[in-house]
Amino acid sequence: MGTEEQPTAEKATVELVLGGDTVADSENPKPTKKRRRWLWWLIGGVVVVILVVTVVLVETVGRTVATEIVRDRIVTSLGLASSDDVAVDLGSGSLLVQVLTGGVDVVTIDIDRFEVNGLTSSARLIATEVPLDTTQALETLTIDVTVPGDQIDQLAGSLSGLDLDSIELVGSAIRVSTVFELFFIRVPVAVDLVPVAAGNAIAFEPESVLLGDEQISVADLRENQLFSGLAGSLLDSREFCVASSLPTALTIDDVTIQGTDLVIQLSADGIPLDDAQWQQYGVCPEP
């Protein structure tokens, strides 16, 4: 009797699922901390860009507005015809930072056309520690007025009471020349005049005299009654008034010859821009 083969039971496979996760969940993991960190960096970068753009716009627009305000103030204070020839430089530093501290460190203003009692000149103004509050005093203010050599001829009436043959700049002096006639002899004479500050005017003081090729001191010639009588006002110190062209806030500090130009140095330290002295002008005597 043969033995019957017993059917073998198939081994059952049991899949244990923990926490209810499914195969689909394992294929789509949740965002990691690294991804979230990257997102915050992106947001921070956008914020920084917005802040930078805002600061640049404020700096640019604020500088433009401030430049116009300063230009208009200078035109009014100095009595200029227009602002067309006025250039304002507020420096290279951040204007926003300076404004937050209450003022501007350095302001430089170039004026292409500046009239000084009939003389056409140019001027450069430099102011330091300029407060936003115009009732407060600025630290320093200097103005260099440059009169070109081709304008010096207009000073003839202030250089001598005689008819002059020539006027030229020589070194640190203005040399004026004329001719004296003495016993039917023509004697060429030249006088070197040194410009100096004299209150609200520029004085021209004789320094030396050239008779032909001979140089003689002014003091010796003044003691010579014959020559001093002939020279007359050629040896006198004369003045050129500039008071009517300048606010009374400005003081003439120095006058020099620099190359081919006559340079007048002015200052108004410690005076607020709202001070009445900027609106008041001096008076020059009638010619």
Side-chain angles (χ1 to χ4, degrees):
M1 196 177 157
T3 55
E4 293 183 2
E5 295 183 359
Q6 297 294 329
T8 59
E10 294 183 359
K11 296 181 179 180
T13 302
V14 179
E15 181 179 358
L16 182 62
V17 178
L18 300 177
D21 289 341
T22 63
V23 174
D25 290 336
S26 63
E27 292 177 353
N28 298 280
K30 294 181 179 181
T32 63
K33 292 182 179 180
K34 184 176 180 180
R35 181 177 298 179
R36 289 194 295 270
R37 189 179 301 115
W38 175 85
L39 180 60
W40 281 114
W41 275 109
L42 177 61
I43 295 173
V46 172
V47 172
V48 170
V49 170
I50 293 174
L51 289 175
V52 170
V53 171
T54 302
V55 169
V56 170
L57 287 175
V58 170
E59 183 77 23
T60 303
V61 175
R63 187 173 289 270
T64 301
V65 173
T67 297
E68 290 299 325
I69 291 174
V70 172
R71 183 183 287 114
D72 292 341
R73 171 68 71 172
I74 289 299
V75 169
T76 301
S77 298
L78 298 181
L80 304 178
S82 71
S83 61
D84 295 340
D85 298 325
V86 180
V88 178
D89 183 2
L90 300 178
S92 58
S94 171
L95 185 63
L96 182 59
V97 172
Q98 295 180 64
V99 167
L100 292 176
T101 62
V104 181
D105 295 339
V106 180
V107 177
T108 303
I109 301 172
D110 289 306
I111 305 171
D112 292 339
R113 186 179 179 84
F114 185 68
E115 295 285 341
V116 181
N117 199 2
L119 297 178
T120 301
S121 61
S122 60
R124 164 163 282 198
L125 182 153
I126 299 177
T128 62
E129 301 300 328
V130 182
L132 298 180
D133 183 357
T134 56
T135 63
Q136 299 297 315
L138 46 77
E139 187 173 85
T140 65
L141 186 147
T142 59
I143 303 178
D144 285 353
V145 179
T146 302
V147 181
D150 58 10
Q151 294 284 308
I152 303 300
D153 287 349
Q154 298 186 42
L155 294 173
S158 300
L159 300 176
S160 172
L162 301 176
D163 292 333
L164 301 175
D165 294 332
S166 66
I167 301 173
E168 59 182 334
L169 302 181
V170 179
S172 60
I174 300 175
R175 178 168 293 177
V176 296
S177 302
T178 188
V179 175
F180 289 150
E181 291 190 5
L182 181 61
F183 302 118
F184 305 107
I185 301 175
R186 294 173 59 84
V187 181
V189 178
V191 179
D192 286 344
L193 304 170
V194 177
V196 296
N200 58 4
I202 302 171
F204 300 96
E205 298 182 351
E207 182 181 55
S208 60
V209 178
L210 286 82
L211 291 174
D213 295 329
E214 185 177 1
Q215 186 169 346
I216 306 173
S217 71
V218 172
D220 291 342
L221 289 175
R222 282 174 175 163
E223 292 178 357
N224 186 310
Q225 294 183 355
L226 177 60
F227 184 83
S228 62
L230 291 172
S233 60
L234 187 64
L235 300 180
D236 294 337
S237 176
R238 287 173 167 264
E239 294 184 350
F240 175 70
C241 180
V242 297
S244 60
S245 301
L246 302 175
T248 56
L250 292 170
T251 300
I252 303 177
D253 296 326
D254 197 11
V255 185
T256 58
I257 302 295
Q258 297 182 12
T260 60
D261 302 322
L262 173 70
V263 179
I264 308 169
Q265 297 176 339
L266 311 167
S267 68
D269 298 344
I271 300 179
L273 293 177
D274 270 355
D275 195 286
Q277 295 179 78
W278 289 106
Q279 307 300 324
Q280 299 169 353
Y281 286 73
V283 178
C284 288
E286 292 294 332

